[in-house]
């Protein structure tokens, strides 16, 4: 049955994957449902659509973007590559394994520009509220057209939520932080290391944001960085200038007090304390309630909302895999909506969710988390025609990346990997990452940097 209507909220990598999944079906000559996608920003790309703004966007909405200047991929691009659109197809040449943000944005756009996806997307439009109308089995969604400042509503048989979950800060309070005299911000508002040159920084949290912001600030000239951890230190061998300490207990002026009894003075504090899954447009009964983990409770196959099977969430997991995982989810969601994949009774779905959650609970190390997500994607792929790829090899690259970071956090981005999609071996970037201060697409694609040319 295809005479139904699908609403997609968000045109980031997840929402775009959903559009692409339907497009691939259409290209085969098969009928597809009526689709509409709504994006609150003026362009697609989600997090990868960089903004200099903080706080609110140009229409006064809570700002989505958490990315910053000088952000380079924090994992090998070979692990996130689309199976149906390779980096080599896009750039026409081999590139390095850890491209900067603008290069990845270009790649995301490359695939979607080849489709008619833009025709389906209404930009500058925010989903405000959703009701489920039981007797019609439809969602009523209230939107605001931000440019026209007008409210309207639409009805859908299926609703796909692809609004991301690294946007609403988790901001814990630490006694005395309200009187800290320097800058205090969450990683969500960090827009680059420039303002912290010559400063002594305290980062709270010990995951990806803390690790990368510490290294970025070190690279761009901060004096000293302390990372304060709650549960576990990151534990890599840090260069002189970055160190880890147990959790800060409180502040007095610009002095931070730590659990181990030590104190230190700082110029600025950055809370790298993660994000909340936040769906202000969903009522409690339709809301996914989860912390950041590999298998959120209540999602069958990590995608279908178990309490209302017409509601779909994409990209809600913590992420080792990104773009190709969103694809496999979108392909699954498409075939689910088209009635092509088995959909057992609720008790069986509950049991399936529990199995995955028990599996996640049994994992501890980074390598085990990688294996978990690899198995999850293998399961999803087995239901659809998303092009199969060598996931075991991708898992090996992830584990090697984890080791590279442990060995040398400052140069892991100089390592190169080989695509499992088309066999292309990555080319080292023309400049070692620690010396490369320009993250623009133009500079990145230069064959040799100017200084080298002069020497030739
Ligand atoms: P998002 O990219 O967050 O997109 C969600 C979209 O939904 C946005 O466009 C938003 O405007 C829209 N939206 C939200 N609410 C509404 C609403 N109510 N109405 C309409 N539209 C709405 N991944 C990697 O693979 N490599 C990296 O190096 C990497 N680095 C990262 C660094 C940072 C700082 C962060 C925060 C994330 C990073 N990620 C990285 C992960 C990144 O989140 C994913 O790559 C990807 O962007 C997730 O796609 P998504 O579509 O699920 O969500
Ligand atoms: P994560 O990976 O969810 O990590 C959040 C970190 O914040 C983690 O180390 C937490 O410590 C820490 N945290 C959370 N609450 C507190 C409090 N109250 N006090 C101290 N520390 C706390 O978020 P990230 O921002 O690092 O990464 C998210 C994405 O952004 C990721 O995909 C990157 O690519 C970019 P815990 O270990 O739970 O004790």
């Amino acid at each position: 049955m295809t005479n139904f209507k699908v609403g997609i909220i968000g045109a980031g990598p997840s929402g775009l994957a959903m559009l692409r999944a339907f497009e691939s079906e259409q290209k085969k000559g098969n009928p597809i449902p009526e689709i509409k996608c709504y994006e609150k920003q003026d362009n697609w790309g989600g997090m990868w659509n960089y903004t200099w703004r903080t706080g609110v966007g140009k229409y006064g909405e809570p700002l989505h973007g958490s990315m910053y200047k000088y952000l380079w991929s924090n994992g090998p691009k070979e692990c996130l590559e689309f199976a149906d659109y390779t980096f080599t197809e896009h750039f026409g040449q081999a590139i390095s394994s850890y491209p900067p943000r603008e290069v990845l944005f270009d790649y995301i756009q490359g695939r979607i520009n080849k489709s008619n996806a833009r025709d389906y997307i209404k930009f500058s439009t925010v989903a405000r509220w959703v009701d489920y109308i039981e007797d019609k089995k439809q969602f009523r969604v209230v939107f605001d057209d931000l440019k026209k400042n007008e409210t309207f509503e639409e009805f859908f048989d299926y609703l796909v939520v692809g609004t991301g979950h690294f946007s609403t800060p988790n901001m814990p309070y630490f006694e005395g932080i309200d009187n800290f005299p320097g800058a205090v911000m969450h990683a969500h508002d960090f827009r680059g290391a420039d303002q912290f040159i010559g400063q002594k920084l305290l980062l709270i949290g010990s995951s990806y944001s803390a690790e990368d912001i510490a290294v970025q600030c070190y690279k761009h000239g901060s004096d000293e960085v302390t990372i304060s951890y709650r549960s576990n230190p990151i534990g890599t061998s840090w260069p002189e200038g970055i160190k880890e300490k147990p959790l800060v207990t409180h502040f007095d002026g610009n002095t931070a007090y730590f659990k181990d009894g030590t104190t230190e003075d700082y110029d600025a504090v950055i809370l790298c304390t993660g994000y909340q899954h936040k769906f202000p447009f969903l009522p409690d009964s339709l809301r996914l309630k989860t912390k950041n983990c590999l298998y959120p409770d209540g999602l069958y196959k990590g995608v279908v909302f178990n309490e209302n099977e017409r509601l779909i969430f994409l990209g809600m997991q913590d992420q080792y895999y990104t773009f190709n995982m969103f694809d496999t989810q979108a392909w699954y969601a498409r075939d689910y909506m088209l009635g092509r994949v088995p959909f057992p009774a609720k008790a069986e779905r509950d049991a399936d969710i529990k199995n995955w959650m028990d599996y996640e609970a049994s994992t501890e190390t980074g390598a085990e988390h990688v294996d978990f997500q690899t198995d999850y994607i293998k399961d999803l792929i087995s239901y659809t025609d998303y092009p199969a790829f060598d996931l075991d090899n991708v898992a090996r690259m992830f584990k090697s990346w984890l080791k590279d970071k442990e060995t040398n956090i400052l140069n892991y981005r100089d390592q190169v990997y080989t695509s499992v999609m088309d066999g292309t071996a990555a080319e080292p970037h023309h400049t070692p990452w620690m010396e490369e201060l320009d993250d623009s697409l133009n500079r990145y694609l230069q064959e040799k940097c100017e200084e080298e040319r002069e020497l030739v």
Side-chain angles (χ1 to χ4, degrees):
M1 161 191 132
T2 48
N3 56 341
F4 59 90
K5 191 167 158 188
V6 178
I8 304 167
I9 307 180
S14 292
L16 294 176
M18 194 68 253
L19 289 170
R20 170 79 189 108
F22 277 119
E23 187 221 1
S24 84
E25 196 57 22
Q26 197 177 34
K27 276 194 170 150
K28 282 185 256 158
N30 294 332
I32 59 165
E34 186 183 346
I35 305 163
K36 285 193 172 175
C37 176
Y38 301 84
E39 168 54 57
K40 77 175 188 179
Q41 302 186 64
D42 288 349
N43 199 8
W44 55 28
M47 273 299 151
W48 299 93
N49 172 21
Y50 172 75
T51 175
W52 57 271
R53 294 169 191 273
T54 53
V56 290
K58 71 192 230 198
Y59 303 107
E61 296 297 311
L63 191 89
H64 189 78
S66 304
M67 285 205 174
Y68 37 90
K69 269 200 285 183
Y70 315 133
L71 184 141
W72 294 62
S73 180
N74 61 5
K77 74 176 196 307
E78 287 75 15
C79 295
L80 58 77
E81 192 165 21
F82 299 125
D84 64 352
Y85 187 70
T86 63
F87 279 95
T88 311
E89 180 180 351
H90 181 71
F91 288 105
Q93 65 184 77
I95 60 169
S96 75
S97 281
Y98 293 86
R101 182 187 43 71
E102 199 184 336
V103 173
L104 285 176
F105 181 50
D106 199 65
Y107 171 62
I108 296 167
Q109 293 208 92
R111 178 172 79 158
I112 206 73
N113 271 333
K114 289 194 161 185
S115 74
N116 54 355
R118 222 169 242 284
D119 300 343
Y120 294 101
I121 307 173
K122 187 164 160 43
F123 291 101
S124 315
T125 302
V126 63
R128 283 270 183 251
W129 193 247
V130 176
D131 290 315
Y132 185 64
I133 303 164
E134 194 67 55
D135 53 343
K136 285 186 168 174
K137 298 216 171 316
Q138 279 193 328
F139 296 94
R140 181 185 76 106
V141 187
V142 177
F143 295 98
D144 260 336
D145 180 322
L146 299 170
K147 271 189 183 159
K148 292 189 185 154
N149 201 10
E150 280 174 12
T151 304
F152 66 98
E153 62 180 29
E154 289 264 359
F155 292 83
F156 303 102
D157 301 291
Y158 287 91
L159 188 66
V160 179
V161 176
T163 50
H165 61 94
F166 294 131
S167 192
T168 304
N170 170 46
M171 274 189 94
Y173 174 70
F174 295 89
E175 195 191 320
I177 199 166
D178 19 9
N179 288 320
F180 185 85
V184 177
M185 65 168 71
H186 188 273
H188 170 66
D189 296 315
F190 177 81
R191 287 290 171 272
D194 312 58
Q195 80 178 91
F196 300 110
I197 291 171
Q199 294 199 3
K200 193 172 164 191
L201 297 181
L202 174 61
L203 310 187
I204 306 178
S206 58
S207 187
Y208 298 103
S209 295
E211 175 187 291
D212 199 51
I213 291 175
V215 170
Q216 296 284 353
C217 289
Y218 174 88
K219 173 177 169 180
H220 289 270
S222 292
D223 259 7
E224 258 187 77
V225 183
T226 303
I227 300 172
S228 169
Y229 60 88
R230 177 172 67 178
S231 311
N232 298 304
I234 296 171
T236 190
S237 52
W238 296 105
E240 210 185 314
I242 307 181
K243 63 172 182 278
E244 296 195 74
K245 273 177 169 276
L247 194 58
V248 62
T249 54
H250 62 284
F251 293 87
D252 183 5
N254 69 341
T255 307
Y257 290 74
F258 296 92
K259 245 181 154 176
D260 60 3
T262 59
T263 61
E264 267 188 67
D265 295 348
Y266 293 96
D267 297 310
V269 180
I270 307 178
L271 293 161
C272 302
T273 41
Y275 294 88
Q276 306 177 38
H277 282 67
K278 194 82 184 164
F279 307 99
F281 52 91
L282 290 176
D284 168 59
S285 56
L286 299 177
R287 217 174 278 158
L288 177 68
K289 295 174 184 173
T290 181
K291 60 181 174 40
N292 187 22
C293 64
L294 296 171
Y295 207 91
D297 195 2
L299 288 185
Y300 180 62
K301 299 296 175 197
V303 170
V304 182
F305 192 58
N306 212 19
E307 294 302 319
N308 182 323
E309 47 200 67
R310 288 172 172 255
L311 180 61
I312 287 165
F313 288 87
L314 299 180
M316 290 301 149
Q317 295 67 15
D318 196 7
Q319 293 154 14
Y320 284 86
Y321 292 83
T322 53
F323 304 164
N324 45 30
M325 177 171 75
F326 308 146
D327 273 10
T328 55
Q329 292 185 324
W331 257 249
Y332 178 87
R334 176 199 70 190
D335 286 356
Y336 162 70
M337 287 185 260
L338 291 171
R340 289 179 185 164
V341 296
F343 194 68
K346 180 136 185 317
E348 211 179 308
R349 301 198 310 265
D350 284 339
D352 190 74
I353 292 172
K354 183 171 180 315
N355 274 343
W356 282 106
M357 289 179 67
D358 288 347
Y359 178 9
E360 181 181 4
S362 74
T363 61
E364 223 174 276
T365 63
E368 287 168 349
H369 294 156
V370 166
D371 285 338
F372 177 95
Q373 203 152 63
T374 305
D375 287 342
Y376 166 62
I377 294 175
K378 279 184 184 170
D379 183 45
L380 280 185
I381 281 195
S382 71
Y383 294 99
T384 75
D385 66 353
Y386 188 70
F389 59 100
D390 186 350
L391 275 148
D392 292 323
N393 209 348
V394 178
R396 274 193 286 279
M397 288 193 262
F398 269 123
K399 289 174 193 173
S400 172
W401 158 76
L402 289 169
K403 286 211 177 92
D404 290 345
K405 285 204 296 178
E406 254 177 60
T407 312
N408 190 336
I409 192 76
L410 300 182
N411 77 2
Y412 78 91
R413 286 183 168 102
D414 295 330
Q415 310 306 310
V416 280
Y417 289 93
T418 296
S419 163
V420 298
M421 305 302 180
D422 65 4
T424 303
E427 278 280 322
H429 184 47
H430 47 64
T431 305
W433 184 76
M434 274 302 285
E435 289 161 32
E436 181 60 279
L437 300 179
D438 181 344
D439 64 344
S440 67
L441 176 73
N442 277 349
R443 160 82 184 164
Y444 181 77
L445 292 178
Q446 271 173 14
E447 257 177 37
K448 285 187 189 298
C449 64
E450 293 305 322
E451 302 85 58
E452 278 177 316
R453 279 213 186 105
E454 279 165 22
L455 289 175
V456 173

